[in-house]
Amino acid sequence: QVQLVESGGGLVQAGDSLRLSCAASGRTFSSLSMGWFRQAPGKEREFVAAITRSGGSTYYVDSVKGRFTISRDNAKNTMYLRMNSLKPEDTAVYYCAAKTRGYSGSYDPNDYGYWGQGTQVTVSS
């Protein structure tokens, strides 16, 4: 099995930056494609970004392209999400997830079998 723990969330002002981290254990990290999702109050869970096992390919939802960067360090069993130029609409609980089925850049949360507990990101105007 896989255990995932997110960290790095917080309260920031619009235009600020944050880096989220996702530490993995319980399975060989490099064997898993990974993704970030977010969920705002009253909204459905939304795909944010994904990265393949080696980090060679990345995928982003249109609303974060050019602002967010997903990366991974397999030697440290850790995935990251650098978020720049944050906007109030980025406010959500952010979840890291490990993909267990589907295409490498899948937007479907059902393709991700392991999830962290989430970390809150709040962006004030």
Side-chain angles (χ1 to χ4, degrees):
Q1 305 301 312
V2 176
Q3 296 81 45
L4 303 172
V5 180
E6 304 97 335
S7 62
L11 173 62
V12 298
Q13 293 182 283
D16 285 351
S17 297
L18 283 173
R19 189 184 73 163
L20 306 183
S21 298
C22 174
S25 62
R27 184 177 173 182
T28 302
F29 180 69
S30 61
S31 71
L32 298 169
S33 293
M34 302 288 293
W36 288 97
F37 292 77
R38 65 187 181 187
Q39 189 164 21
K43 303 290 186 178
E44 295 296 313
R45 188 166 297 187
E46 176 190 28
F47 171 83
V48 177
I51 188 166
T52 52
R53 294 184 299 275
S54 66
S57 297
T58 58
Y59 309 86
Y60 300 92
V61 68
D62 286 346
S63 61
V64 309
K65 288 180 180 177
R67 299 189 297 120
F68 290 12
T69 303
I70 188 172
S71 62
R72 66 191 297 162
D73 186 339
N74 288 344
K76 297 181 178 179
N77 292 335
T78 304
M79 178 181 64
Y80 305 95
L81 185 69
R82 167 60 69 177
M83 305 182 293
N84 294 328
S85 302
L86 283 162
K87 304 174 180 180
E89 50 263 47
D90 295 318
T91 295
V93 177
Y94 283 71
Y95 299 90
C96 69
K99 192 171 72 69
T100 53
R101 54 161 286 177
Y103 293 103
S104 59
S106 176
Y107 282 34
D108 188 349
N110 293 313
D111 289 343
Y112 293 77
Y114 301 98
W115 296 82
Q117 293 298 307
T119 186
Q120 177 71 47
V121 173
T122 302
V123 185
S124 63
S125 300

